[in-house]
Amino acid sequence: MPEEVLFKSENRQARAEIASYLRTVADKLDADEPITLKSGDQTVTMEPPASPTFEVKAEREGPAGGPYELSIEFELEWDEGADDGADAGGLEIE
């Protein structure tokens, strides 16, 4: 299936700024509100369902022997127009 990028923003920010963005997303999820992303003239509003799939990934990427780029990725996924059920997961973040 081809991928269509609806919004993309990537820039270096202080950890406190990133935490503020994540808190805003968490507050929107708690309140069952849509999430609007804005950057320059780009804007997209998404409405995650009650039980989206939550993917967490830690990666090390780069050529054999380095240098490596480390990342932590958080992703919410759902089928457009679908009302999915809850899936019991065992994720812990410490």
Side-chain angles (χ1 to χ4, degrees), residues 2-94:
E3 180 178 283
E4 176 186 2
V5 177
L6 302 175
F7 180 91
K8 182 171 181 175
S9 174
E10 182 175 338
N11 52 49
R12 187 174 298 272
Q13 296 185 348
R15 287 166 50 155
E17 291 174 305
I18 296 167
S20 178
Y21 285 121
L22 293 174
R23 267 189 219 93
T24 300
V25 170
D27 290 344
K28 296 286 187 179
L29 290 171
D30 274 341
D32 195 26
E33 295 178 354
I35 298 168
T36 299
L37 307 171
K38 296 179 184 179
S39 180
D41 62 350
Q42 292 186 92
T43 301
V44 67
T45 298
M46 310 210 56
E47 297 187 44
S51 299
T53 299
F54 182 45
E55 179 180 336
V56 179
K57 195 185 317 182
E59 294 181 330
R60 177 187 296 124
E61 296 179 75
Y68 299 110
E69 178 180 275
L70 298 172
S71 67
I72 300 171
E73 299 176 10
F74 301 97
E75 184 171 280
L76 297 175
E77 289 183 330
W78 63 93
D79 291 333
E80 191 168 13
D83 185 22
D84 55 354
D87 182 11
L91 174 67
E92 293 182 30
I93 299 177
E94 300 177 353

